[in-house]
């Protein structure tokens, strides 16, 4: 029953200090907007790197003397490795044929070459889970030890760069999200603390009349959650405007932005995230209640 | 109902009450009297758990305060109505809401709150002031609001700290009658006062305090 009364007290307090509360909501909204932007960058980055395994392959170039049968045996052996999804043998002739296909408009490049200079090879596609900087490096070293394999090639630098960028962006995003979240909690903390001090005498009277800690805390927690949730709604509105600007105003000018993925769940999640941060800020600001 | 056994309370090494042993029986109406600084308010504060004794033991309605968990304090306080010396009325709430506060804290339903508050305001003759704010009331009216707030929860003990301070004699005698009526319903009443008129010819126990010690007892 007292929750209804606490809700009434919280609403009265919000109305009484409407300007402070409005400012807090806008600040929380701005913070959550920044967090969401950062999240969108990480989310899109993650999606892009998840597509990488579809394009990633390793090439095992074989020695000149390796027979077709031996090469097929090597490929069959590789297929038994759980890290490998597919291993395809490409003979010297097939490799030349593929090269000719690629150079069909510049066929003169191959004129005058009497002997096929291309080595036979095995093209390997790795499992999604096995594509990591260190695991690929280890696999490459293992493959190089296979009898008949002369050279192992994969986009080492490309893989390293992607990994570094991904790690860098993730770390930076975590830092930004962490700082902004702490900032939002601090805004709720400060606002509720101000309300708490303004009502200190009232709270003392409540205690003497037999109020429990729950009864004293509830209006402040409700107030913090309302501030957080409304801050979340403010940021959701800003996000909606950003979504509109991005897809309806910027995409026609810069079509590449069409690849940006914008999960619609964000709009529902923002008030909830605000609510949780608001409750946390309020609980921290009230602290321990003593009866003596 | 209330038992003090060798209770001492210090404020910055100065004893406010010293080695007090005292019993107030269930249903009794008793007075604590003595000059300012005698320790009357401290004694009441220990009963309503605003202060903790430094030495000795206090028992209230079978609750041993030395063994009482902090989480149980609100539930004990609900059994004790207090008429505070400084009123402690909430200026931003009207008379109705000030009185209703006690019941809302106890989790009463709003219909019940409305009915009981209006009944109590009728008893203290303030029904017509239900919508007024404390600042718009006279001292005597404010005092009656505080009494209404203290008794609306039907406590087993009623404590009053200087309930007639700054009131004219007519208002004071009205308040005194009110306490007797409340006591007649079975509530234990303990009143701290230096106003001799309040206990004169009442036939009730008067406990004299001076400099933190009980210096005597008499029948008023």
């Amino acid at each position: 029953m007292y929750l209804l009364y606490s809700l009434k007290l919280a609403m009265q307090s919000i109305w009484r200090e409407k300007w402070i509360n409005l400012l807090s909501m806008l600040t929380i909204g701005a913070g959550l907007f920044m967090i969401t932007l950062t999240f969108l960058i990480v989310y899109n980055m993650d999606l892009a790197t998840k597509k990488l395994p579809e394009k990633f392959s390793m090439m095992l170039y074989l020695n000149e003397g390796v027979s077709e049968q031996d090469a097929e045996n090597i490929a069959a052996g590789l297929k038994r490795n759980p890290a490998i999804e597919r291993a395809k043998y490409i003979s010297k002739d097939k490799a030349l044929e593929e090269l000719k296909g690629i150079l069909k408009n510049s066929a003169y490049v191959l004129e005058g070459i009497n002997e096929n200079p291309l080595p036979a090879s095995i093209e390997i596609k790795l499992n999604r889970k096995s594509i990591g900087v260190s695991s690929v490096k280890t696999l490459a070293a293992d493959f190089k030890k296979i009898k008949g394999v002369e050279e192992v090639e994969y986009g080492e630098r490309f893989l390293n760069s992607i990994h570094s960028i991904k790690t860098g962006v993730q770390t930076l995003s975590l830092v930004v999200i962490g700082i902004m979240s702490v900032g939002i909690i601090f805004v709720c903390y400060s606002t509720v603390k101000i309300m708490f001090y303004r009502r200190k005498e009232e709270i003392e009277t409540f205690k003497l009349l037999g109020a429990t800690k729950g009864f004293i805390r509830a209006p402040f927690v409700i107030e913090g959650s309302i501030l957080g949730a409304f801050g979340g709604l403010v940021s959701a509105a800003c996000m909606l405007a950003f979504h509109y600007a991005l897809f309806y105003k910027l995409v026609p000018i810069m079509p590449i932005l069409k690849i940006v993925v914008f999960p619609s769940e964000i709009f529902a999640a923002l008030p909830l995230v605000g609510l949780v941060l608001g409750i946390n800020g309020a609980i921290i600001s009230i602290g321990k209640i003593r009866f003596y | 109902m209330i038992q003090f056994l060798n209770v001492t309370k210090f404020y910055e090494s100065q004893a406010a009450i010293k080695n007090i042993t005292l019993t107030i029986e269930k249903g009794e109406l008793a007075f604590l009297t003595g000059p300012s600084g005698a320790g009357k308010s401290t004694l009441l504060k220990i009963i309503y758990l605003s202060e903790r004794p430094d030495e000795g033991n206090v028992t209230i309605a079978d609750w041993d305060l030395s063994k009482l968990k902090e989480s149980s304090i609100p539930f004990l306080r609900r059994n004790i109505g207090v008429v505070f010396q400084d009123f402690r009325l909430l200026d931003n709430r009207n008379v109705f809401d000030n009185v209703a506060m006690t019941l809302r804290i106890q989790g009463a339903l709003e219909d019940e709150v409305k009915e009981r508050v209006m009944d109590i305001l009728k008893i203290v003759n303030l029904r017509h002031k239900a919508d007024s704010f404390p600042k718009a009331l006279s001292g005597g009216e404010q005092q009656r609001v505080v009494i209404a707030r203290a008794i609306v929860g039907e406590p087993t003990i009623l404590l009053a700290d200087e309930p007639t301070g700054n009131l004219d004699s007519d208002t004071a005698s009205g308040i005194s009658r009110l306490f007797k009526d409340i006591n007649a319903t079975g509530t234990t009443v303990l009143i701290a006062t230096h106003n001799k008129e309040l206990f004169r010819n009442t036939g009730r126990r008067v406990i004299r305090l001076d400099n933190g010690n009980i210096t005597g007892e008499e029948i008023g």
Side-chain angles (χ1 to χ4, degrees):
Chain A
M1 181 61 209
Y2 77 71
L3 275 179
L4 269 180
Y5 185 64
S6 302
L7 180 68
K8 190 179 157 192
L9 287 183
M11 297 309 288
Q12 281 173 349
S13 173
I14 286 174
W15 182 247
R16 218 178 292 137
E17 307 289 347
K18 47 188 168 298
W19 297 115
I20 292 178
N21 285 310
L22 184 68
L23 196 66
S24 300
M25 281 177 202
L26 293 177
T27 314
I28 293 165
L32 281 174
F33 181 72
M34 296 292 287
I35 287 179
T36 316
L37 273 188
T38 314
F39 166 77
L40 273 180
I41 293 169
V42 180
Y43 183 74
N44 278 279
M45 187 94 188
D46 201 45
L47 279 184
T49 49
K50 267 183 187 156
K51 284 176 186 161
L52 190 68
E54 291 161 18
K55 306 202 186 319
F56 184 81
S57 65
M58 293 177 87
M59 294 301 291
L60 274 60
Y61 294 108
L62 304 175
N63 287 326
E64 270 299 317
V66 176
S67 69
E68 199 161 311
Q69 186 55 50
D70 288 345
E72 290 287 5
N73 288 342
I74 294 170
L78 286 168
K79 277 177 195 165
R80 284 196 288 275
N81 189 327
I84 294 168
E85 192 178 284
R86 207 172 69 220
K88 184 182 154 198
Y89 168 64
I90 301 165
S91 66
K92 283 169 72 76
D93 296 341
K94 178 86 175 143
L96 186 64
E97 204 178 298
E98 280 178 10
L99 184 65
K100 279 178 179 167
I102 293 165
L103 298 174
K104 63 182 171 204
N105 294 329
S106 324
Y108 59 87
V109 174
L110 298 172
E111 276 172 18
I113 298 173
N114 299 324
E115 207 178 319
N116 182 355
L118 300 175
S121 61
I122 296 170
E123 186 188 19
I124 290 174
K125 286 266 181 200
L126 294 177
N127 283 328
R128 227 170 246 273
K129 280 185 257 170
S130 308
I131 301 174
V133 176
S134 57
S135 56
V136 169
K137 217 170 193 170
T138 314
L139 282 171
D142 290 345
F143 296 156
K144 211 167 178 184
K145 286 178 200 158
I146 297 170
K147 198 181 165 193
V149 174
E150 191 180 336
E151 189 63 56
V152 178
E153 237 185 61
Y154 64 97
E156 189 178 2
R157 285 179 66 182
F158 171 71
L159 202 63
N160 280 339
S161 308
I162 290 292
H163 180 74
S164 305
I165 292 169
K166 195 180 167 186
T167 313
V169 171
Q170 274 177 345
T171 311
L172 192 69
S173 307
L174 275 178
V175 171
V176 171
I177 289 173
I179 290 172
M180 296 310 286
S181 301
V182 171
I184 289 168
I185 289 174
F186 184 72
V187 170
C188 292
Y189 166 90
S190 312
T191 313
V192 173
K193 198 86 181 168
I194 291 168
M195 306 302 159
F196 198 75
Y197 276 118
R198 289 203 177 171
R199 287 172 53 196
K200 209 165 189 307
E201 239 174 84
E202 186 179 314
I203 290 164
E204 285 308 311
T205 305
F206 282 4
K207 284 186 200 172
L208 292 172
L209 294 178
T212 57
K213 291 178 184 179
F215 184 91
I216 295 164
R217 279 199 182 106
F220 296 101
V221 174
I222 291 171
E223 198 168 332
S225 62
I226 290 172
L227 287 182
F230 273 85
L233 282 176
V234 169
S235 67
C238 294
M239 263 301 144
L240 206 63
F242 175 72
H243 179 271
Y244 175 79
L246 183 70
F247 290 102
Y248 295 96
K249 299 284 173 191
L250 283 174
V251 165
I253 305 163
M254 288 186 275
I256 191 160
L257 291 174
K258 215 187 274 181
I259 60 163
V260 174
V261 180
F262 206 112
S264 56
E265 290 87 351
I266 280 177
F267 299 111
L270 277 170
L272 285 176
V273 173
L275 184 114
V276 170
L277 293 176
I279 288 173
N280 276 299
I283 288 171
I284 296 167
S285 78
I286 300 164
K288 223 171 175 185
I289 291 171
R290 312 293 312 194
F291 285 115
Y292 280 111
Chain B
M1 178 56 77
I2 303 168
Q3 197 171 42
F4 277 57
L5 195 64
N6 304 320
V7 175
T8 301
K9 173 70 190 173
F10 294 99
Y11 287 120
E12 293 171 358
S13 75
Q14 185 83 25
I17 54 171
K18 298 168 195 166
N19 205 29
I20 296 266
T21 295
L22 171 73
T23 303
I24 307 289
E25 299 297 339
K26 190 176 177 188
E28 190 180 351
L29 190 158
F31 295 88
L32 281 173
T33 190
S36 295
K40 304 186 295 289
S41 296
T42 304
L43 205 138
L44 294 189
K45 280 179 181 174
I46 289 173
I47 298 172
Y48 65 78
L49 298 110
S50 177
E51 297 288 356
R52 245 184 175 150
D54 293 308
E55 289 168 15
N57 203 28
V58 180
T59 309
I60 295 164
D62 298 330
W63 299 61
D64 183 345
L65 298 196
S66 63
K67 291 177 186 156
L68 192 71
K69 283 187 196 162
E70 208 184 335
S71 56
S72 302
I73 290 175
F75 302 99
L76 177 54
R77 280 180 178 163
R78 290 177 190 182
N79 286 303
I80 305 170
V82 186
V83 178
F84 300 100
Q85 192 173 8
D86 56 356
F87 296 171
R88 285 188 171 273
L89 287 172
L90 305 175
D91 290 337
N92 57 359
R93 286 179 172 79
N94 62 22
V95 167
F96 180 92
D97 282 332
N98 265 286
V99 178
M101 189 59 64
T102 306
L103 296 174
R104 285 172 175 152
I105 281 171
Q106 292 178 8
L109 296 171
E110 211 49 39
D111 286 347
E112 189 190 348
V113 170
K114 203 171 270 180
E115 196 185 323
R116 280 175 65 185
V117 171
M118 291 318 270
D119 286 349
I120 290 291
L121 287 179
K122 193 177 171 189
I123 290 169
V124 297
N125 198 21
L126 278 176
R127 207 167 178 167
H128 59 294
K129 298 273 184 174
D131 294 327
S132 303
F133 284 82
K135 287 256 165 82
L137 303 177
S138 69
E141 286 170 333
Q142 287 187 28
Q143 188 67 278
R144 279 184 281 153
V145 177
V146 180
I147 293 169
R149 187 182 62 186
I151 62 173
V152 72
E154 295 174 355
T156 49
I157 299 168
L158 178 67
L159 307 175
D161 196 357
E162 298 292 359
T164 55
N166 304 320
L167 297 183
D168 60 73
S169 59
D170 280 350
T171 315
S173 64
I175 300 256
S176 176
R177 270 198 305 277
L178 199 53
F179 284 126
K180 278 180 202 156
D181 292 345
I182 295 161
N183 175 244
T185 63
T187 308
T188 307
V189 181
L190 183 61
I191 302 166
T193 181
H194 61 260
N195 180 359
K196 287 175 184 157
E197 291 305 316
L198 205 60
F199 52 79
R200 186 169 290 159
N201 301 324
T202 54
R204 308 289 182 159
R205 189 153 65 118
V206 180
I207 302 145
R208 291 195 179 279
L209 277 174
D210 195 8
N211 201 23
N213 295 298
I214 293 179
T215 54
E217 272 192 28
E218 62 192 71
I219 301 297

